[in-house]
Amino acid sequence: MFQRLKPISVQEAMSGATLGLVQYVVVRTDLMTSLAWSVGAVIAQACHASTAVAHLYHEDQNMQRYLADLDNMHKVVLGIESETKLRNLSEKLNEAFIDHKLWIEQPEDTPTCLVTKPYPKEEVSRLFKKLKLLKMDNPSSSRESTGN
């Protein structure tokens, strides 16, 4: 049986926020800690993966709705501790048929992050519930605490 959908306005139909669409970005935190990558380099990885997802899934209905309302896009940026955990998450998403891009930086051949295509939050949030929002030290506060 098909469920009857509540009628919405054209403006609401174009709004990813109205549909509760969210795009998850998961970044390896060890890149900035033990591997000493700069914050900018890690952010670039997330940008590469996000752009790749927009290209790979540009014909997807959720992606089109998400991109149709640029001022209301919703992303959740999470941290994950290691390459192994990132690869395991990618496998878990594959098993759940969640479209995403595992970004592998070249020529280093290093998995750095993954990004999902936009999905209704209620369809995918359970897969990310063990992860925490990405946090990093505030460079200005660390300078103040060291007296530099």
Side-chain angles (χ1 to χ4, degrees), residues 1-5:
M1 283 278 171
F2 291 101
Q3 182 180 8
R4 184 171 287 264
L5 298 176

Side-chain angles (χ1 to χ4, degrees), residues 23 48-60 63 67:
Q23 186 173 40
H48 293 327
S50 185
T51 302
V53 166
H55 174 73
L56 291 169
Y57 302 106
H58 71 276
E59 293 184 12
D60 178 81
M63 181 59 77
L67 294 174

Side-chain angles (χ1 to χ4, degrees), residues 3-103:
Q3 182 180 8
R4 184 171 287 264
L5 298 176
K6 172 184 111 178
I8 60 175
S9 71
V10 173
Q11 185 176 7
E12 287 176 319
M14 295 302 290
S15 170
T18 300
L19 297 172
L21 295 176
V22 62
Q23 186 173 40
Y24 284 90
V25 178
V26 181
V27 177
R28 282 179 51 195
T29 56
D30 65 320
L31 295 174
M32 293 178 284
T33 56
S34 59
L35 298 175
W37 287 36
S38 71
V39 172
V42 174
I43 290 172
Q45 300 301 301
C47 292
H48 293 327
S50 185
T51 302
V53 166
H55 174 73
L56 291 169
Y57 302 106
H58 71 276
E59 293 184 12
D60 178 81
Q61 185 178 21
N62 283 347
M63 181 59 77
Q64 290 178 0
R65 288 179 177 164
Y66 188 74
L67 294 174
D69 192 10
L70 294 176
D71 292 331
N72 291 297
M73 290 191 275
H74 182 192
K75 286 183 175 50
V76 176
V77 182
L78 305 168
I80 199 162
E81 296 83 15
S82 67
E83 177 180 339
T84 300
K85 289 184 178 186
L86 184 66
R87 286 186 183 276
N88 289 345
L89 176 59
S90 181
E91 289 175 23
K92 183 177 169 183
L93 295 175
N94 284 334
E95 290 168 4
F97 302 103
I98 301 300
D99 291 327
H100 67 283
K101 173 67 176 169
L102 175 63
W103 186 259

Side-chain angles (χ1 to χ4, degrees), residues 12 117 126:
E12 287 176 319
K117 76 175 189 187
R126 65 183 165 73

